[in-house]
């Protein structure tokens, strides 16, 4: 256990009966391990009015349009992750429980279990997970997933899974200012924003800002692989 972070507490395995609805919120920019420019809420002085503060969104119309497009994608996450009332009296689920309850990440859940990473991603975090759907795993060459799940290939599986995890909680609003991010794997992922769509390596973010109690999930349509 603890392949991602040595400080996470272990919890019980995810309850498959929970059907939570992740809340869409905007976190305040803080210390982030991602490599790039300042967060989207960075402020600058208005030279025309020395006493006036203007946000980056006001001074950068292109960024405003990009964030608007990403907000639409983020809204779709509410539908993709089941429009039901959250379980356990509305308590927000952790990353693993949220993914399991969504129903589109059975392969990812099986891979996390085979790699002994479930308890880690149920820990305190926070984590940012770029989560491939079952369809994303299905696009891999035939036999790839089956081979990765074999006990003798556990180290390789861990390397792939941790390449999808970035330490800290990084929302879509912050991602648009980044060009790269260092994963738990130790390698960097490339980040590009084109026509309002965020690309992580060769994957496209299909739903953003799915909030969990210990971080955030961004759904991607392709499994990204480390070098």
């Amino acid at each position: 256990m603890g392949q991602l972070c040595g400080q996470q507490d272990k919890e019980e395995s995810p309850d498959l009966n929970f059907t939570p609805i992740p809340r869409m919120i905007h976190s305040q920019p803080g210390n982030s391990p991602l490599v790039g420019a300042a967060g989207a809420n960075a402020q600058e002085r208005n030279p025309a009015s020395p006493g006036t503060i203007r946000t980056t969104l006001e001074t950068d119309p292109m960024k405003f349009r990009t964030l608007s497009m990403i907000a639409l994608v983020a809204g779709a996450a509410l539908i993709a992750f089941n429009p039901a009332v959250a379980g356990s009296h509305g308590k927000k689920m952790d990353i693993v429980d949220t993914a399991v309850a969504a129903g589109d990440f059975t392969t990812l859940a099986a891979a996390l279990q085979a790699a002994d990473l479930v308890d880690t991603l149920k820990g305190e975090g926070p984590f940012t997970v770029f989560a491939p759907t079952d369809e994303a795993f299905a696009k891999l060459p035939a036999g790839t997933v089956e081979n990765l799940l074999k006990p003798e290939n556990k180290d390789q599986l861990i390397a792939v899974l941790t390449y999808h995890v970035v330490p800290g909680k990084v929302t879509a609003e912050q991602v648009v200012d980044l060009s790269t991010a260092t994963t738990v794997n130790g390698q960097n992922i490339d980040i590009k924003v084109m026509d309002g769509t965020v690309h992580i390596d060769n994957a496209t973010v299909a739903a953003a800002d799915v909030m969990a109690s210990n971080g955030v999930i961004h759904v991607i349509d392709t499994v990204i692989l480390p070098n």
Side-chain angles (χ1 to χ4, degrees):
M1 310 295 177
Q3 304 289 342
L4 301 179
C5 178
Q7 298 182 353
Q8 286 80 2
D9 296 328
K10 296 184 178 180
E11 301 180 7
E12 295 297 326
S13 298
D15 187 343
L16 299 180
N17 294 323
F18 282 135
T19 308
I21 176 172
R23 293 170 51 199
M24 307 295 293
I25 61 175
H26 291 288
S27 65
Q28 294 297 322
N31 293 329
S32 171
L34 295 175
V35 180
N41 286 333
Q43 295 179 328
E44 60 180 25
R45 292 282 179 179
N46 181 349
S49 302
T52 302
I53 296 290
R54 297 200 305 175
T55 65
T56 302
L57 295 184
E58 292 174 315
T59 59
D60 191 342
M62 180 61 71
K63 181 177 293 183
F64 178 80
R65 289 193 293 270
T66 297
L67 288 175
S68 297
M69 291 294 294
I70 292 175
L72 293 176
V73 175
L78 287 176
I79 299 175
F81 277 73
N82 196 329
V85 178
S88 187
H89 305 290
K91 181 180 178 181
K92 193 185 300 183
M93 297 289 95
D94 60 49
I95 285 173
V96 175
D97 287 346
T98 300
V100 169
D104 295 324
F105 303 94
T106 56
T107 304
L108 177 61
L112 290 172
Q113 185 171 5
D116 288 332
L117 295 177
V118 170
D119 288 338
T120 299
L121 284 180
K122 289 177 68 65
E124 182 177 353
F127 306 107
T128 297
V129 177
F130 296 98
T133 61
D134 290 338
E135 290 184 358
F137 278 100
K139 293 194 303 186
L140 292 171
T144 300
V145 174
E146 291 78 6
N147 286 331
L148 284 173
L149 293 178
K150 292 179 179 179
E152 60 266 30
N153 295 326
K154 182 178 179 181
D155 288 344
Q156 184 179 357
L157 178 61
I158 291 173
V160 171
L161 293 175
T162 54
Y163 188 63
H164 290 75
V165 182
V166 171
K169 182 178 180 180
V170 186
T171 65
E173 185 179 22
Q174 295 167 298
V175 166
V176 299
D177 279 322
L178 307 171
S179 60
T180 187
T182 302
T183 67
V184 174
N185 170 288
Q187 297 187 36
N188 290 342
I189 53 175
D190 292 326
I191 302 172
K192 295 180 180 179
V193 181
M194 296 184 293
D195 298 325
T197 301
V198 179
H199 299 271
I200 308 297
D201 284 352
N202 62 325
T204 298
V205 175
D209 286 352
V210 180
M211 297 298 172
S213 62
N214 60 343
V216 59
I217 299 172
H218 303 301
V219 182
I220 56 177
D221 66 353
T222 302
V223 177
I224 55 177
L225 300 174
N227 297 325

